Amino acid sequence: MDSRRSTAVQFFMEEDNNKIVEWLNQAALSTDNTKTDYLRRVQEIIINKDASLLDNFLDEVLGFQNDRSGDVRKFIVGFIEEACKKDPDVLPKVVANLSMLLQDSSVQVQKRVIQAASQVYRGALAWLAKARAISEEMEAAWAMMGSIKAQIVNMIDSDNDGIRTHSVKFLECVVLLQTYPEVDSMRRDNDFSLEDVPLTLKIARRRKLEEEANMVFDLLIKFHGSPHVSSVNLMTCMGSLTLIAKMRPQFMGKVIAALETLHTNLPPTLSKSQVSSVRKHLKMQLLNLLKHPSSVDYHNNITTLLTDLGATYQEVLKSYPKIEELRRRQKRVAETLSSSQAAVSASKKSRLDIDDDDEEEEEDEEGMDDIHSTDVHHKKHTDLAIDVTEQFIVERLSPEFAAQLVILSMAKLPDSMPPNFSAMYTPIAAAGTQGQIRHVARLIATQLTAVGLGPGARQAKKLQVIPKAASLDDDDDEMPSSTKSSISTVVSGLMEKEKEGRLKAATLLPSGGSLKAVKQRMKTLKLSEITRPLENEVMLKMMADAVQRILKAERAAALGGVTVIRTKIITTLAATFNRKVREVVLNFLLEDVRTQLDLGFAWLYEEYSFMQGFNRMPAFLKQEQSPEYSYNRLLCTLARNLIERAEMKDRDVLLARLYLEAPLITEEATDLLKNMCGDETRAPVGLHLLQDLVTRRPPKQLTFLNGLLLHTAHENPEVRGRAIKAVVELYDRGDLRSIIEEYAILYLGFLRLRQPPDVLFGMDRGRPIKSDVWSEDIVKVCLYLYLALLPINEKLIHELTRVYVQTVADVKRTILRLLEQPVRGMGMDSPQLLKLVEECPKGAETLVTRVIHILTDKTPPSAELVARVRDLYHTRVSDVRFLIPVLNGLTKKEVIAALPKLIKLNPVVVKEVFNRLLGTHSEGVNHTSPLTPAELLIALHNIDPSKCELKTVIKATSLCFAEKQAYTQEVLAVVMQHLMELNPLPTLLMRTVIQSLSLYPWLIGFVMNILQRLILKQVWKQKKVWEGFIKCCQRTKPQSFQVLLQLPPAQLSDVLATSPDLQQPLLSHVMAFTENQRAHIPQSIMDVLLGNKRPHLEEYDVRMEAMSPSELTIDIRDEPEEIRSEPAPPGMD
């Protein structure tokens, strides 16, 4: 078994190798887009199917990296990425190629390399972490990856916008891979971090990797704050920083500071629409950060920014983390502080109760205590420079100070309002409140920190603990010098005048304390008191518009993480509301079925739930139609749309999904699929789907099977052929055999009827016009499925015989014509066929004969078949035609005995008999016959005239002579020699001699010998043979003259009397002899020749006849006619 399996594996591996080599060669020769198609086929085999071939063909595939086509080079990058995912050990072999492609002249190729580098770099780091020992090859590969990483880092300043965007995503990947996660970190499947890098890995130390990640993060912060960054790059960088903050909470403070800086310092190069987009994106990222538990210390900052960005109170409140999560986090923080033996312990816990207005003052008092606990604050999180500067400004920002600041700033205002200011400006909602004062202070602190001014920046430089957020080093990336000078002059100058006394440290309020001023108890609003009912048309239009907005909010729902909720809302509305809403949702689905099919399934299952009673319709909603109608209409509309849109990509896959995944297939949907199968162009898809439904939907298995069986009798051969193939495959499974057999036998039984039944006609059968007579095509329709099943279940052959005997002649003829292929498939050794021959029902003789003919047409009959046919012939059916197919299996005696009956048959049948016996019907097949050609011809001569007329025998011998391939001159010579030895001589002997001589003139010498021997056998005693002798002498003159001279005078006289034309030539021949030669001729012969005496036959005796000299005997040998010598006259021996 193992050897067979290994042989099979080697066979398929060799086949794959051959395919890969062929595809690589074709790809090398191709000049169009087919090159990437061939390479994709290679990738599918060596990566996805058989990874063991990857090493064998890696170099050949990588050779295409120098191709002129950019698409091919991009494909090579993707191939390298997939190869590294599949087998990291190939990294040393491909990393250099990746580095070269990074320097490609095509921007698209460069972007693809940067995109792939993230996965390759991650895989390389994981590969090293799992390695037991580091080889030189690994070190070289890691060094090359470091070089690629450095190049991509430098590309963040590229001139191409797309390259910068991909570079930002790569830097994001580096930061996440080379830093440690925390307890509150967001987790992803198969995440990798610095924790997974072993401490023993020398070439990638944890400390160095972390330092590098911090540098990369600072570079992202710097890029994020660049004044000339594009909107696309800015939003990409914003998303990367947000993801880093969620997955690595230790960067949360820096990220929020960077976002605050961006809010106050939007790039001046942005247009109005770009400013609006950036602000929306910023708002969305802040809402995402607000949900993270680690952002609790920055809730005040985030909520203030969100308020400026136009977020409503409900939006902010909805994004808050759950109170239980915050409490669990505070508990973890408290445990961490106690374990580290902090100098000042957190004695009071901040309570996050937004609804209770009375607790606000208590929380403020606790906050004042926390301001003085600077050591504790340092342990909770690292103070930011902006926070220190903000607290410094809050303590000094009095109304008088603000007024002076505004007056001094008036001179610095531009003549026209900048577009970004007009786009980002929102009215101040709570001017003069403590929260607004802190917000203004925060804005000023952000500006000061950006240019390195303020106590926070000085403290950061001194302690190297509080990093400067979003500081920009290069002059080009900083704000304009006029803006910097104005900030330093105005803000720092005013702050110098204020007294320095209070040393309160900045502390963030827990759970968004600024929002409590917004929340207040309100009187219950009753819409009925302030509104009036809308008109029905207006209400329907507003309802439809609302649904349209929900449908178009797909992307926003995905970004907000509420896709499931949106889907549930849409499906509930569509399933429960009025027809207008259903049409809106349905039109939305049908516009792009491929993309929205999942939404369609959700709606379908919602309708199914109502139909089955799992869900109940609300009492206040009136259902226009029954749930069954609604479900069926939705299913059929989707199915009809997919069936009619043949040009749509993946139409077949989507249609299969619909029918296989729908909870219930209705009758109308089944009819749609059946009608689809009737179309030749769409039949393959529909029939294959019906076959899948039979096996994968057991409850309605018979319905779908009936749909398949229906098309096995279709008029279109393409549809019919595919349906029969599908049914046969189901028949092979076994569980549906009885049903399929019953259907096939049912259609077979239709042939008993006098006219075709109505079920065979109709549009679904491809025959819209009914016929009242059995045509050949209609008969075939009833037989196709049955004949396809016959080789699989041979017992069905007996059903055919039962039907055959009851059909009309035209139907019988069609059945006989169609039997060949299935009977050949059953084979000669089939027990059922042998049983059929043995039993041979009355009236089915022609059917059985046809079966035997088919079995023995190109193959010698088996012994079992011959025995059954012989027994049938001798006991029940005396028709000699039964013996014809098995003639070659009978004995010589049996064949000779049957010859008289056989040659009486139709000449065409007789010819078939001789073909089988002579082997001329089976070219290229080993032929065995009980009779040789010579024996057959001899047997024909020996047929008793009482059993068969002489004329019939003559026709039979003529058929033999027509087979020149079998009856050569040697065979005919043997036949004549054998016939000469018979006594009495056969009646047709001389006819055979004459025919042989006419076919092969070179037998003239042998024929002369035959004639001489016939004289010795007194041939004149048999009248028919004697007449043939004379005719032969006439046709063979002058060679026959020597034979005639040997006849007795009486017989010679009879010959000359019968054929007077022989006398003068024969006399001339004799007179040409010399005197000595003529002396040997008896005088009685001369008298006959000269006409002196005509003796009577009765006067002669055999003893008086001249004997043929020995030298006149002609050897059976081919001799050229020109050298053939005549026998010497009598007496010359």
Side-chain angles (χ1 to χ4, degrees), residues 439-460:
H439 179 51
V440 173
R442 185 76 175 182
L443 296 177
I444 298 175
T446 302
Q447 299 283 0
L448 290 174
T449 306
V451 295
L453 299 177
R458 289 195 296 269
Q459 184 178 345

Side-chain angles (χ1 to χ4, degrees), residues 765-1018:
R765 303 302 183 101
R767 287 178 291 275
I769 302 176
K770 186 181 183 306
S771 175
D772 294 332
V773 294
W774 283 106
S775 64
E776 183 175 352
D777 291 338
I778 301 298
V779 174
K780 288 180 179 179
V781 164
C782 297
L783 289 170
Y784 281 129
L785 179 59
Y786 169 82
L787 294 178
L789 301 180
L790 188 56
I792 304 174
N793 186 0
E794 298 176 354
K795 293 182 179 179
L796 295 175
I797 190 67
H798 304 294
E799 293 291 339
L800 181 61
T801 59
R802 283 191 281 271
V803 173
Y804 181 83
V805 297
Q806 302 178 41
T807 58
V808 297
D810 291 338
V811 175
K812 283 185 170 66
R813 281 191 288 271
T814 304
I815 293 175
L816 296 177
R817 280 195 292 270
L818 294 177
L819 269 181
E820 182 171 356
Q821 185 173 354
V823 169
R824 289 191 187 281
M826 295 171 70
M828 191 180 301
D829 298 327
S830 169
Q832 300 302 324
L833 284 181
L834 295 176
K835 181 180 178 182
L836 173 67
V837 174
E838 183 177 355
E839 296 178 351
C840 187
K842 186 176 180 180
E845 291 83 0
T846 53
L847 175 68
V848 175
T849 305
R850 174 61 177 160
V851 169
I852 301 173
H853 270 276
I854 294 171
L855 292 175
T856 59
D857 185 32
K858 296 183 179 179
T859 308
S862 63
E864 292 87 350
L865 182 62
V866 172
R868 282 167 173 77
V869 173
R870 181 189 293 120
D871 182 67
L872 180 66
Y873 177 72
H874 289 301
T875 59
R876 295 173 53 195
V877 183
S878 60
D879 192 343
V880 74
R881 289 176 294 178
F882 270 88
L883 297 177
I884 295 176
V886 296
L887 281 175
N888 293 334
L890 298 176
T891 62
K892 180 192 295 186
K893 184 178 179 181
E894 290 173 328
V895 174
I896 293 176
L899 269 180
K901 293 183 179 180
L902 290 172
I903 62 176
K904 290 179 183 179
L905 300 175
N906 187 289
V908 177
V909 179
V910 177
K911 183 171 179 59
E912 181 187 355
V913 171
F914 288 173
N915 287 340
R916 288 180 178 272
L917 291 174
L918 299 176
T920 56
H921 76 298
S922 55
E923 297 181 2
V925 180
N926 293 331
H927 173 73
T928 58
S929 175
L931 294 178
T932 64
E935 291 173 339
L936 175 61
L937 192 55
I938 292 170
L940 291 174
H941 284 78
N942 290 332
I943 291 177
D944 189 349
S946 63
K947 295 181 180 180
C948 183
E949 294 182 1
L950 188 62
K951 186 185 300 183
T952 303
V953 177
I954 292 174
K955 292 180 180 179
T957 56
S958 299
L959 290 176
C960 291
F961 282 111
E963 299 294 338
K964 293 184 178 180
Q965 183 178 355
Y967 289 94
T968 60
Q969 63 182 10
E970 290 83 1
V971 173
L972 292 176
V974 170
V975 171
M976 290 186 289
Q977 183 76 23
H978 190 278
L979 294 177
M980 277 292 302
E981 297 173 359
L982 297 178
N983 192 16
L985 295 172
T987 305
L988 298 178
L989 169 63
M990 294 312 301
R991 177 182 174 83
T992 300
V993 171
I994 294 171
Q995 281 186 299
S996 300
L997 186 61
S998 63
L999 287 175
Y1000 302 105
W1002 283 9
L1003 287 175
I1004 184 66
F1006 183 76
V1007 170
M1008 294 300 105
N1009 187 19
I1010 291 293
L1011 296 178
Q1012 293 176 24
R1013 294 177 61 189
L1014 287 175
I1015 294 174
L1016 298 177
K1017 293 180 71 68
Q1018 299 181 6

Side-chain angles (χ1 to χ4, degrees), residues 102 107-118 152-153 155-156 158 160-173 220 223 232-233 236-237 240:
L102 183 59
V107 173
Q108 298 298 327
V109 176
Q110 289 182 338
K111 289 194 291 186
R112 185 66 183 89
V113 173
I114 298 171
Q115 184 181 1
S118 300
I152 297 177
V153 170
M155 285 183 173
I156 202 169
S158 172
N160 186 273
D161 204 30
I163 291 179
R164 292 197 300 269
T165 300
H166 284 79
S167 299
V168 168
K169 298 303 291 182
F170 177 83
L171 298 185
E172 167 197 325
C173 175
L220 280 174
F223 180 79
V232 176
N233 293 156
T236 302
C237 189
S240 296

